[in-house]
Amino acid sequence: MKAFIGYLSMSGNTEDMANILKNVLVSKGCEVEMESLDLTEVQSILAYDCIFIGAYTWGDGDLPYEAEDFFEELNEYDLTGVHAACFGSGDHAYPKFCAAVDTFADKLNKRGAHVFHQRLKIELNPETDDQILECQQFAESVYAWVINKKEIEHV
Ligand SMILES: Cc1cc2nc3c(=O)[nH]c(=O)nc-3n(C[C@H](O)[C@H](O)[C@H](O)COP(=O)(O)O)c2cc1C
């Protein structure tokens, strides 16, 4: 399976999540490409078996500024057949916890992608054993979901 992980991270928390996801996927034998979302063109990620989109939340539940071009570009594509999963770090001190994760999941869904039902939201840095496990289990669940769906589609 080929996976793409695109993320935005200002202080490294979402990036640490992305690295945990990557390590699990690599351990499953996946080929993983990872890059900052402000460098990503939507066209270039359509061929992956699964795309992971990660972002921290800014302002009052807003997307990071650097995510806006990618987010707008999604409007130009039909994502039918694309498998996607969303993740990000946030802070419960703000009223709209990890709202950027939902904004991305909703947009991908509207553009026709299959979006994994669970959204991975971590408080600040994934540093406790429970938080790390949650990230690892998320990657494993998404992996199993994609493999399962692709097998069904190919029957
Ligand atoms: C000005 C500002 C606004 C923020 N707004 C939100 C918010 O609305 N919701 C949220 O969950 N976190 C919010 N955060 C917290 C960040 O999302 C959090 O610190 C996150 O861990 C940063 O991730 P990063 O290290 O990947 O950049 C805000 C942080 C700052 C500095």
Side-chain angles (χ1 to χ4, degrees), residues 11 16 23 33 58 62 65-66 73 89 99-103 109 113 116 119 134 138 144 149 151:
S11 52
D16 287 350
N23 288 341
E33 286 292 328
W58 188 243
D62 299 332
Y65 172 72
E66 323 86 270
E73 206 193 340
S89 168
V101 178
D102 296 326
T103 304
N109 200 30
F116 190 61
R119 298 158 186 190
E134 194 180 341
F138 180 78
K149 276 220 164 203
E151 273 172 14

Side-chain angles (χ1 to χ4, degrees), residues 8 62-74 104:
L8 282 169
D62 299 332
L63 287 183
Y65 172 72
E66 323 86 270
E68 283 174 9
D69 285 352
F70 176 80
F71 187 79
E72 289 304 319
E73 206 193 340
L74 287 171
F104 262 121

Side-chain angles (χ1 to χ4, degrees), residues 29-49:
C30 297
E31 247 179 75
V32 182
E33 286 292 328
M34 197 158 101
E35 76 178 3
S36 179
L37 264 191
D38 55 345
L39 303 174
T40 303
E41 304 214 343
V42 175
Q43 176 71 47
S44 71
I45 61 173
L46 300 176
Y48 286 88
D49 298 306

